[in-house]
Amino acid sequence: MTGKNLKLGVDVVSAHDLLPKDGQGSSSAYVELYFDGQTCRTTIKEKDLNPVWNESFYFNVSDPSILTHLTLDAHVYHATKFTSTSSFLGKVSLNGTCFVPHSDAVVLHYPLEKRGMFSRVRGELGLKVYFTDDPSIKSSSPIPAIETDGRYFTRAAPLQVSHGNSEVRRTFHHIPNPNGSTSHHVHASGHEVSYQSTKYEVREMKAEPPPPRVVLMHSGPSSTQPIDYALKETSPYLGGGQVVGGRIIHADRTASTYDLVERMQFLFVRVVKARELPAMDATGSIDPYVEVKIGNYKGVTKHVEKNGNPEWNIVFAFSKDRMQASVLEVVLKDKNLVKDDFVGTVRFDIHEVPTRVPPDSPLAPEWYRLENKKREKVKGELMLAVWIGTQADEAFNDAWHSDAAVPIDSSAAASAQLCSKVYHSPRLWYVRVNVIEAQDLVPTDRNRFPDVHVKAQIGHQVLKTKNAQVRTLNTLWNEDLLFVAAEPFEEHLILTVEDRVAPGKDEIIGRVIIPISHVERRADDRPIPPRWFNLEKPVAVDVDQLKKEKFSSRIHLRLCLDGGYHVLDESMNYSSDLRPTIKQLWKQSVGILELGILNAEGLHPMKTRDGKGTSDTYCVAKYGHKWVRTRTIVESLSPKYNEQYTWEVFDPATVLTVGVFDNGQLGDQKGQHGNNKDLKIGKVRIRISTLETGRVYTHTYPLLVLHPTGVKKMGELHLAIRFSCTSFTNMLYQYSRPLLPKMHYVRPLTVLQQDMLRHQAVKMVAMRLGRAEPPLRVEVVEYMSDVDSHLWSLRKSKANFFRLMSVFSGLFGAVKWLGDVCTWTSPVTTVLVHLLFLMLVCFPELILPTVFLYMFLIGVWNYKHRPRYPPHMNTRISQADNSHPDELDEEFDTFPTSRGPDLVRMRYDRMRSLAGRIQSVVGDIAAQGERVQALLSWRDPRATAIFITFCLVAAVVLFVTPFQVLAALSGFYVMRHPRFRHRLPSVPINFFRRLPAKTDSML
């Protein structure tokens, strides 16, 4: 996309239910658009409260790099006929993050907003906003004079447009910086946003950090677990300094934005090309390749056949901590069948290699003359670049790494399967197919009415309607079928009308094939106009022939891509993204999540190589659409990754998942790559809302995995996590918004539909990520997405029951205390309770202020003892430490079961399915009670701060307001007319649903 031709297109479609302003119950409305110092205006629609414009405007974008920081304002006015004044009817402000390409844009109807506190507005404005770089499109002309009934008037446009988000925001960066620039200054709307460069310096040797401090959960005696399974707080020396108490103590050196991992030094060798190589074969040719050796480590390029001027452009990275030699040898050889011939070498003294510090430009490669074994110059030159850098170097991710080298295959081609990568999961859509009716069906047997149904298929997803209730040639269904589709749309929707001619036998009457890319998109529940499609003869197999051979039968369909939903591809309890599919509905981010994957310790050997147990491990982190995979560390039970990644956070009520896996795709002794599964070692879940803003959490997390023999600790994973807030106001506003997009409440999906669609979504994401290089395998995606979390488990059912009992333990304690008061177990306490009760009876207006003030004081008191660590897996809460072997055998049983004959299998499967639903219900009830406990526990510091502030305000308001008035208002509010009720959940319900529960600690 070129900045020269970039334009913002705005289609002003229509308005609905505007406020009358002309004194005759109507308005003459027009719209003014303000963007990037430009103003455009629509025509006036006389006396119409529901005007339709369908006018398009195009604005020049002065600087494409700041497009997301700009704001589009659309103001609706009423034009007065005989004066030069106009009346305000409402406005819409859209941030630049809502702008999408033209192919993704749809018409959205935005509710009109007030201009000030005393403004009176109503209605909606339909806009379609997009950006395009089509050079044939010209920008719109500036505001002309408005003409109405032969009279002209002009209204001065505002000299300065007020943007909704005008404060200067903090800037975060992804490392490394590919442009290598030191600083950029962007000017937008009078603001200056500066991008500072990344700086590094050599760190002097520090003393060993103190031993990790074990952190225990103190949520009750029922949640305590063995010390070996507990979280351990650490104080490592990272790139920004030592972490002490969640804060980085900066050393006397230049700070680095790559500050959540230990700074590691690597020796980088870029092998670019060679020239004028001597002939080594009898045919006068050479098959050259390069070996890069230092000590016991060796990296090899691929050989180039019969080429005296080969090119490779491959980077090798050797960990400086593992280097045991001071000389780097770059050897050029000739590939032969029996023994490779030596051509020449280039040697470097490690102490003479320069150090490159980003954002310096990449080191320029140089030509080096080859030498023989006697250090004499020979024919041929090799272009190389050798430097010492860190993991912040842009060559780090794609380089061949010595600590990731396969012992049996040290080539760069094999290393490509083991390097670190960032993946983006595809954008998923719900495809809604409303099968209305079919007409003029032609069955094979003309002497009978067909018993028909419609089968719809997208890829491997197949759904069927019910058989028509009335057997006729014009059949009516009016059924909705839902599918999942992923961009780019590669599959077609195939609809087949089938006739049930006998039990278990269906005949095809006709079919229609519809490309999904041609289906209309929508962002809300507005009706989509239906269309008639001709059914094609079933005997025609070729698509081109199907289009030629039409016949009279047709089917009536209503098709749409529902972009207002969030496509669930993971369990709701551990969801990492809650945004709708369509980008125009996305809000601004509320913060930045930074994750430093430091190392793992004490890993359990997952395989045997050369007679000893070892593991080839890598980590996968998932948050939102972004998946990251670290490089594979080969043959190490204490691997050091030291890789840092960054995500934008759009909702704090989301979960980051980090998993550790053993790479099963490494070659065998014959050099062939295996096809085994990548074995799971363990995972960690961290809820963002439980993290304090700006605090650095450095802990070692136990990797706990449940096996048929019981729970087992597979090692420990050392992580550094920091959540930084970029918009505190937006983050607090998120606590009042619904957890899911609006469509989930306006047109909710059934539980059965959610389970089916989630299963299809996980399969689709796994299929797409499996096509990347290196691929994320199916078992990795399913394990990270908790694909089997809904299946029956007696252990989980018991855990949910005890969680429920823990929630009601406070109530049981209160009942017991009241019983003690009634039985005068403690006479002093009983007398005080009698006095308190007498006081509250005499002064009932003190009841609610006392309760809220009491909760406020509890919250303030608990602030001192608030949790200072993220939640983690708990074996006691999960009932994993005392499960019977038979229970675990049932949990690890296949579905359907393989433990008995057909009758037992049928009953067993039915029981498990029913019990799985009961298990989910019990878990949900327990989660609600745990959220009540989280109000004052500071588990979510922002939510607790909001709640205790509300308690204090409520205590004051209730104290000064008569109780009778509040009771009357409450009664009137509860019994209010349905006209005054909103279909979305209320603010208290939204706030409550965002509170954390102990689901994050469930194993």
Side-chain angles (χ1 to χ4, degrees), residues 447-689:
N447 297 323
R448 56 180 288 274
F449 287 106
D451 182 15
V452 295
H453 64 269
V454 177
K455 182 176 74 173
Q457 181 176 359
I458 298 180
H460 299 291
Q461 307 174 67
V462 179
L463 294 177
K464 295 182 180 180
T465 65
K466 298 178 181 178
N467 281 41
Q469 297 181 354
V470 180
R471 299 178 63 171
T472 175
L473 297 180
N474 299 317
T475 309
L476 179 65
W477 291 281
N478 197 21
E479 290 188 31
D480 268 358
L481 305 177
L482 277 176
F483 299 88
V484 179
E487 291 185 348
F489 301 120
E490 301 174 348
E491 298 167 333
H492 292 66
L493 170 64
I494 303 175
L495 290 161
T496 307
V497 180
E498 297 181 348
D499 179 19
R500 178 64 57 84
V501 295
K505 182 180 180 181
D506 298 327
E507 288 186 356
I508 299 178
I509 295 179
R511 72 175 64 171
V512 59
I513 301 176
I514 305 170
I516 299 180
S517 56
H518 296 171
V519 177
E520 185 175 350
R521 307 179 182 189
R522 71 174 183 180
D524 48 27
D525 62 336
R526 296 179 182 273
I528 299 295
R531 293 175 55 193
W532 286 98
F533 294 89
N534 292 324
L535 292 175
E536 297 148 354
K537 292 183 179 180
V539 295
V541 178
D542 185 70
V543 176
D544 296 332
Q545 189 174 355
L546 283 173
K547 295 180 179 179
K548 298 177 182 178
E549 300 183 5
K550 300 288 180 63
F551 64 109
S552 58
S553 298
R554 59 180 186 167
I555 189 170
H556 201 195
L557 304 173
R558 183 181 285 111
L559 307 175
C560 70
L561 289 168
D562 267 332
Y565 289 96
H566 167 67
V567 179
L568 298 170
D569 59 345
E570 52 195 345
S571 174
M572 268 298 297
N573 293 327
Y574 320 121
S575 183
S576 62
D577 188 18
L578 300 171
R579 292 174 295 172
T581 298
I582 195 163
K583 292 183 178 180
Q584 289 174 268
L585 298 179
W586 291 5
K587 305 298 182 182
Q588 283 186 331
S589 63
V590 299
I592 297 294
L593 176 65
E594 297 168 281
L595 170 68
I597 304 176
L598 301 179
N599 55 63
E601 297 176 354
L603 294 181
H604 185 77
M606 304 299 292
K607 63 184 66 168
T608 302
R609 182 178 292 142
D610 297 332
K612 64 178 182 178
T614 187
S615 292
D616 309 321
T617 60
Y618 64 92
C619 295
V620 175
K622 176 190 184 303
Y623 185 77
H625 293 171
K626 181 178 175 181
W627 297 62
V628 299
R629 170 178 175 162
T630 68
R631 67 191 188 280
T632 300
I633 307 298
V634 178
E635 290 191 341
S636 177
L637 299 180
S638 298
K640 291 186 177 181
Y641 305 101
N642 284 309
E643 298 185 23
Q644 183 171 339
Y645 300 95
T646 306
W647 289 268
E648 282 189 298
V649 177
F650 293 88
D651 196 319
T654 47
V655 176
L656 166 71
T657 305
V658 184
V660 184
F661 300 89
D662 178 73
N663 197 327
Q665 312 311 310
L666 303 187
D668 55 23
Q669 295 184 357
K670 296 181 181 179
Q672 300 175 348
H673 289 285
N675 205 14
N676 301 321
K677 289 186 176 182
D678 289 354
L679 301 178
K680 61 185 180 183
I681 297 178
K683 65 182 173 184
V684 175
R685 290 191 292 256
I686 300 170
R687 184 169 292 272
I688 308 304
S689 62

Side-chain angles (χ1 to χ4, degrees), residues 840-894:
L840 294 178
V841 169
C842 296
F843 304 98
E845 64 273 10
L846 296 179
I847 297 177
L848 290 180
T850 302
V851 171
F852 282 107
L853 184 60
Y854 179 66
M855 287 191 288
F856 169 77
L857 294 176
I858 292 178
V860 172
W861 177 261
N862 288 345
Y863 178 78
K864 180 180 179 181
H865 308 285
R866 68 190 184 278
R868 298 180 180 272
Y869 52 89
H872 62 287
M873 305 287 187
N874 192 295
T875 57
R876 183 62 55 84
I877 292 178
S878 305
Q879 294 293 312
D881 54 352
N882 56 1
S883 297
H884 193 273
D886 184 63
E887 298 175 6
L888 297 177
D889 179 71
E890 180 186 25
E891 183 171 349
F892 283 91
D893 187 15
T894 58

